[in-house]
Amino acid sequence: AQSVTQLGSHVSVSEGALVLLRCNYSSSVPPYLFWYVQYPNQGLQLLLKYTSAATLVKGINGFEAEFKKSETSFHLTKPSAHMSDAAEYFCAVSEGNAGNMLTFGGGTRLMVKP
Amino acid sequence: GAVVSQHPSRVICKSGTSVKIECRSLDFQATTMFWYRQFPKKSLMLMATSNEGSKATYEQGVEKDKFLINHASLTLSTLTVTSAHPEDSSFYICSAVDRTSFAYEQYFGPGTRLTVT
């Protein structure tokens, strides 16, 4: 069975500050890990994904995440927050390959203060 | 990138009626589609896995007779909410898997907001 825990349902940062959204996973097999962003009343947009290649994954909009097997973590970071980054972020895991069902974390709402 | 569409984007229906939501992969064939449900300010929960040409696989606790899923072609899956009730109001999101790519990419639709009055 697989599961995802996102620590912090709400994170608030100032514009220009570091963004750190935490994600820990549990998986019985080597996982595929994803970060998605959701704007109000919209679907999910893929930010980045880990598929057993490089442990440091770079995504769109300046985001990156590092897979740490020893910590079972896949935290999302961005060096400098922008107002347009305010949204809901979901970490997800699938087992076997990226086309299998996804198990999502509870989501983290990122707020960016001017 | 590949595009998945959903129709309608919003629907309001009366309690007791049925509503059909379509999920289409526009530029690839999807042998597998997933249906998720998202409650307000909550995460996405998998409802069922839709496989082309076979019966859908439902997650525990999801009523298959209430949420009818049909995947009759490689580009279309439909979710029908039968005898809808206010508690069925939710945001329904589908995803489609492109198995032609080595990486088995999964693409999400924009979602359908269902409100049952």
Side-chain angles (χ1 to χ4, degrees):
Chain A
Q2 56 198 34
S3 66
V4 177
T5 301
Q6 289 183 240
L7 293 176
S9 58
H10 292 78
V11 170
S12 181
V13 300
S14 297
E15 190 173 20
L18 171 72
V19 175
L20 170 61
L21 305 183
R22 299 178 186 275
C23 171
N24 288 88
Y25 71 91
S26 171
S27 176
S28 57
V29 300
Y32 284 68
L33 294 159
F34 307 81
W35 274 101
Y36 289 91
V37 61
Q38 184 180 38
Y39 296 97
N41 294 312
Q42 295 186 27
L44 300 180
Q45 181 181 9
L46 179 66
L47 281 177
L48 49 79
K49 62 183 177 183
Y50 167 77
T51 58
S52 75
T55 56
L56 181 62
V57 182
K58 294 186 184 300
I60 62 172
N61 301 339
F63 285 94
E64 63 180 39
E66 186 172 8
F67 172 69
K68 292 187 176 181
K69 183 178 179 180
S70 61
E71 299 177 8
T72 60
S73 69
F74 190 58
H75 301 330
L76 181 71
T77 60
K78 181 174 181 177
S80 177
H82 192 272
M83 296 297 290
S84 61
D85 294 327
E88 187 85 19
Y89 291 81
F90 292 98
C91 181
V93 63
S94 73
E95 294 183 341
N97 62 66
N100 285 340
M101 56 164 278
L102 294 173
T103 298
F104 287 87
T108 298
R109 180 165 297 278
L110 175 66
M111 295 168 284
V112 182
K113 299 175 293 186
Chain B
V3 178
V4 175
S5 69
Q6 283 186 240
H7 178 79
S9 57
R10 291 177 174 268
V11 57
I12 300 173
C13 70
K14 294 185 182 298
S15 187
T17 62
S18 295
V19 175
K20 180 185 287 187
I21 301 170
E22 294 184 346
C23 177
R24 292 182 185 272
S25 56
L26 298 185
D27 48 6
F28 66 97
Q29 293 183 332
T31 54
T32 300
M33 291 184 176
F34 298 102
W35 286 96
Y36 296 86
R37 180 174 179 176
Q38 185 178 30
F39 291 99
K41 302 186 187 303
K42 298 291 186 182
S43 186
L44 285 79
M45 300 296 293
L46 179 68
M47 298 176 65
T49 302
S50 170
N51 293 300
E52 187 268 339
S54 64
K55 291 183 178 180
T57 302
Y58 291 82
E59 294 301 298
Q60 191 173 8
V62 178
E63 300 176 59
K64 63 180 181 180
D65 294 331
K66 180 168 186 60
F67 298 99
L68 301 179
I69 292 173
N70 184 282
H71 193 159
S73 79
L74 288 172
T75 59
L76 174 64
S77 176
T78 61
L79 168 67
T80 301
V81 183
T82 63
S83 187
H85 289 282
E87 56 264 31
D88 299 325
S89 298
S90 194
F91 195 52
Y92 293 87
I93 302 177
C94 72
S95 70
V97 179
D98 181 1
R99 296 196 185 278
T100 60
S101 67
F102 176 78
Y104 283 12
E105 297 286 348
Q106 184 170 160
Y107 301 95
F108 282 83
T112 296
R113 183 161 301 284
L114 170 63
T115 303
V116 184
T117 60

